[in-house]
Amino acid sequence: MSTTLRRPSTEQGRSSDRTAGPRHFLDLRDFDTATLRQMLDIASGFKRAGRVTSRPLAGKTLALIFEKPSTRTRVSFEVGMRQLGGEVVVLSDKDSQLGRGESIADTARVLSRYVDAIMLRTDRASKLHDLADNATVPVINGLTEASHPCQLMADVMTFEEHRGPIAGQTVAWCGDGNNVARSWIEAAVRFDFTLRLATPDGLRPPDDLVAWALGQGGRIELTDDAMQAADGARCVVTDTWISMADEPDPVRHTLLAPYRVTNRLMEAAAPDAIFMHCLPAHRGEEVDAGVIDGPRSVVFDEAENRLHAQKGVLAWVMGAAR
Ligand code: CP
Ligand code: NVA
């Protein structure tokens, strides 16, 4: 297997003692289970209330910074903030001074004077942590090359809406050990479910993240056999073979072809197993159309729940729900 495809180490060693500062939402591992549950409970309450809520974030403004493209994250944060009574400012590196070399630290200090929270999507987790270290308002991780925690809040919410409590269940990840897979690992620890990851050797999640998860008592099982991972699982999940931080590389397609989620793979899972995918999807690559467009797929509920889950995160970080 190609070792050049192995991803950089996750930042397990970084300082996570930010207890005295703003309520950042950077990674699931930074929180205890009760706090994550609190955010999901708030999210479910907002979902039940529909579009008209008590506007707990009236007078607040969220800055959204995108250094990478987005459909769901951009729209769900913007709509969610507005539904809670707040406002948004959307920036990219190209239309701000970030693209001309202004530092993340200075950007953090300046934006903190204008807005009440900042979301960043970037392909360098170090930038997210730099932003969080220098902002005096909450910072939210809108995806890095290392993780996608907002996605996992929506994914846990979606699983539980369809199949009840996720604790004690088994989820199978088939494909690249990418940013979303890494957040699934953190979710498995915090929400107490078994996660089987089937990946090619060269695309496994980082050893230090797996070691952290196992050290926390997490039930993380690694294999290179998709059928073995899917066997009896209550949920099969996958993601694109080429993430935004990756260089297009035909080697990836060769390595990942055995991990495509097909109807045959779904038949190895539990009879009532659901299929999940964070989207955007590539039919015929990581998943067959018959699966993602079939009766077991919950991908559009999952996409909808980005809105509700993030409303829970927004209310929590901005102290509208203590
Ligand atoms: N799932 C997700 O984050 O989608 P976007 O890239 O469209 O935001
Ligand atoms: N792994 C994908 C997720 C997109 C939401 C990427 O980083 O491009």
Side-chain angles (χ1 to χ4, degrees):
M1 294 296 171
S2 165
T3 51
T4 56
L5 287 173
R6 188 172 286 285
R7 291 164 192 283
S9 169
T10 188
E11 296 193 16
Q12 291 298 312
R14 70 169 198 265
S15 167
S16 58
D17 182 14
R18 296 191 171 104
T19 46
R23 285 183 158 188
H24 299 312
F25 184 79
L26 304 183
D27 276 308
L28 299 186
R29 65 175 177 260
D30 300 336
F31 299 97
D32 59 23
T33 304
T35 306
L36 294 172
R37 279 280 166 214
Q38 185 191 357
M39 292 182 221
L40 285 181
D41 288 347
I42 300 164
S44 296
F46 285 138
K47 185 171 184 176
R48 281 192 299 275
R51 293 183 184 187
V52 181
T53 70
S54 56
R55 300 172 62 82
L57 298 184
K60 306 269 191 193
T61 302
L62 171 70
L64 297 163
I65 308 174
F66 287 96
E67 295 191 336
K68 288 285 167 183
S70 170
T71 298
R72 280 145 289 271
T73 304
R74 153 118 201 215
V75 178
S76 57
F77 266 112
E78 183 159 350
V79 171
M81 193 64 190
R82 291 190 194 288
Q83 288 180 357
L84 295 177
E87 303 286 338
V88 296
V89 178
V90 185
L91 300 165
S92 78
D93 50 339
K94 293 171 194 66
D95 62 19
S96 71
Q97 298 288 7
L98 280 168
R100 295 183 60 249
E102 185 165 20
S103 73
I104 280 279
D106 282 355
T107 304
R109 293 177 189 121
V110 171
L111 291 183
S112 295
R113 303 291 180 106
Y114 302 141
V115 303
D116 301 282
I118 307 167
M119 188 234 69
L120 175 65
R121 169 168 285 197
T122 178
D123 60 0
R124 297 241 303 275
S126 57
K127 285 191 184 175
L128 178 79
H129 297 293
D130 209 5
L131 187 70
D133 286 342
N134 288 283
T136 55
V137 298
V139 170
I140 299 171
N141 178 354
L143 180 147
T144 73
E145 85 290 5
S147 60
H148 197 2
C150 289
Q151 182 67 51
L152 262 293
M153 294 298 275
D155 291 356
V156 169
M157 186 175 179
T158 306
F159 180 96
E160 296 197 326
E161 286 176 351
H162 284 272
R163 292 291 177 267
I166 199 167
Q169 301 287 349
T170 296
V171 173
W173 174 277
C174 296
D176 185 15
N178 65 12
N179 46 2
V180 179
R182 296 190 201 185
S183 286
W184 270 100
I185 290 174
E186 296 186 22
V189 172
R190 292 297 182 241
F191 292 100
D192 194 26
F193 59 90
T194 297
L195 180 66
R196 296 195 200 125
L197 294 118
T199 65
D201 282 350
L203 294 171
R204 286 206 308 261
D207 292 343
D208 59 350
L209 176 61
V210 175
W212 169 82
L214 296 175
Q216 296 279 312
R219 293 186 298 282
I220 308 297
E221 301 172 8
L222 302 181
T223 176
D224 61 4
D225 183 339
M227 279 290 175
Q228 191 180 322
D231 183 27
R234 234 31 221 303
C235 173
V236 178
V237 57
T238 190
D239 187 16
T240 182
W241 289 348
I242 313 276
S243 284
M244 289 181 275
D246 296 327
E247 293 299 325
D249 183 346
V251 172
R252 290 180 154 274
H253 290 256
T254 307
L255 287 175
L256 287 160
Y259 300 88
R260 175 178 301 130
V261 180
T262 60
N263 272 320
R264 187 168 160 265
L265 190 72
M266 290 303 295
E267 279 164 20
D272 65 347
I274 55 174
F275 171 74
M276 297 181 77
H277 188 310
C278 63
L279 305 179
H282 307 81
R283 289 166 175 78
E285 293 189 12
E286 73 271 11
V287 60
D288 278 348
V291 173
I292 194 168
D293 299 321
R296 294 173 158 206
S297 174
V298 298
V299 298
F300 297 110
D301 292 341
E302 196 181 346
E304 178 188 330
N305 279 338
R306 292 294 305 279
L307 170 66
H308 308 299
Q310 279 154 207
K311 285 164 77 174
V313 171
L314 286 167
W316 187 85
V317 298
M318 283 187 258
R322 294 210 180 240

Short mmCIF file of all heavy atoms in Angstrom, two decimals, residues 143 148 178-180 239-240 243-244 278-280, ligand 2:
data_model
loop_
_atom_site.label_atom_id
_atom_site.label_comp_id
_atom_site.label_asym_id
_atom_site.label_seq_id
_atom_site.Cartn_x
_atom_site.Cartn_y
_atom_site.Cartn_z
N LEU A 143 -15.59 22.20 9.56
CA LEU A 143 -14.84 21.15 8.82
C LEU A 143 -13.39 21.58 8.66
O LEU A 143 -13.12 22.73 8.26
CB LEU A 143 -15.43 20.85 7.44
CG LEU A 143 -14.74 19.78 6.56
CD1 LEU A 143 -15.75 19.03 5.69
CD2 LEU A 143 -13.64 20.38 5.69
N HIS A 148 -14.93 16.81 11.40
CA HIS A 148 -16.18 17.48 10.99
C HIS A 148 -17.23 17.25 12.09
O HIS A 148 -18.21 16.54 11.90
CB HIS A 148 -16.64 16.89 9.66
CG HIS A 148 -17.65 17.73 8.91
ND1 HIS A 148 -18.10 18.96 9.37
CD2 HIS A 148 -18.30 17.51 7.74
CE1 HIS A 148 -18.97 19.45 8.50
NE2 HIS A 148 -19.11 18.60 7.52
N ASN A 178 -11.09 9.38 6.64
CA ASN A 178 -10.92 10.83 6.45
C ASN A 178 -11.44 11.63 7.66
O ASN A 178 -11.66 11.08 8.74
CB ASN A 178 -11.61 11.26 5.14
CG ASN A 178 -13.13 11.07 5.20
OD1 ASN A 178 -13.70 10.83 6.25
ND2 ASN A 178 -13.78 11.19 4.05
N ASN A 179 -11.63 12.93 7.43
CA ASN A 179 -12.08 13.83 8.49
C ASN A 179 -13.41 13.38 9.12
O ASN A 179 -13.57 13.43 10.34
CB ASN A 179 -12.19 15.27 7.96
CG ASN A 179 -12.89 15.38 6.61
OD1 ASN A 179 -13.36 14.39 6.03
ND2 ASN A 179 -12.95 16.61 6.08
N VAL A 180 -14.34 12.94 8.29
CA VAL A 180 -15.64 12.52 8.84
C VAL A 180 -15.48 11.22 9.61
O VAL A 180 -16.04 11.05 10.71
CB VAL A 180 -16.68 12.41 7.70
CG1 VAL A 180 -18.03 11.96 8.25
CG2 VAL A 180 -16.84 13.75 6.98
N ASP A 239 -18.24 8.01 2.77
CA ASP A 239 -18.02 9.39 2.35
C ASP A 239 -17.20 9.37 1.07
O ASP A 239 -16.68 8.32 0.66
CB ASP A 239 -17.29 10.16 3.48
CG ASP A 239 -17.17 11.66 3.21
OD1 ASP A 239 -17.88 12.18 2.33
OD2 ASP A 239 -16.33 12.31 3.87
N THR A 240 -17.06 10.52 0.48
CA THR A 240 -16.33 10.66 -0.78
C THR A 240 -14.93 10.03 -0.71
O THR A 240 -14.31 10.00 0.35
CB THR A 240 -16.20 12.15 -1.15
OG1 THR A 240 -15.52 12.27 -2.38
CG2 THR A 240 -15.44 12.94 -0.10
N SER A 243 -11.51 13.88 -0.62
CA SER A 243 -11.97 15.01 0.19
C SER A 243 -11.38 16.31 -0.33
O SER A 243 -10.44 16.32 -1.14
CB SER A 243 -11.57 14.79 1.65
OG SER A 243 -12.41 13.83 2.25
N MET A 244 -11.95 17.42 0.17
CA MET A 244 -11.53 18.73 -0.32
C MET A 244 -10.04 19.01 -0.07
O MET A 244 -9.43 19.77 -0.80
CB MET A 244 -12.38 19.83 0.31
CG MET A 244 -13.81 19.81 -0.22
SD MET A 244 -14.82 21.12 0.48
CE MET A 244 -15.37 20.37 2.01
N CYS A 278 -22.58 11.92 4.56
CA CYS A 278 -22.68 13.35 4.89
C CYS A 278 -23.04 14.20 3.68
O CYS A 278 -23.51 15.33 3.84
CB CYS A 278 -21.38 13.83 5.51
SG CYS A 278 -19.95 13.73 4.40
N LEU A 279 -22.80 13.69 2.46
CA LEU A 279 -23.00 14.41 1.19
C LEU A 279 -21.97 15.55 1.09
O LEU A 279 -21.60 16.10 2.11
CB LEU A 279 -24.43 14.95 1.06
CG LEU A 279 -25.56 13.92 1.21
CD1 LEU A 279 -26.92 14.62 1.09
CD2 LEU A 279 -25.43 12.80 0.18
N PRO A 280 -21.53 15.93 -0.08
CA PRO A 280 -22.00 15.45 -1.38
C PRO A 280 -21.52 14.04 -1.69
O PRO A 280 -20.43 13.65 -1.28
CB PRO A 280 -21.40 16.46 -2.37
CG PRO A 280 -20.18 17.00 -1.69
CD PRO A 280 -20.49 17.00 -0.22
N1 NVA B 2 -14.71 14.33 3.56
C1 NVA B 2 -15.39 15.36 2.82
C2 NVA B 2 -16.56 15.85 3.60
C3 NVA B 2 -17.38 16.90 2.86
C4 NVA B 2 -18.53 17.39 3.69
C5 NVA B 2 -14.43 16.48 2.50
O1 NVA B 2 -13.66 16.87 3.39
O2 NVA B 2 -14.44 16.97 1.37
#
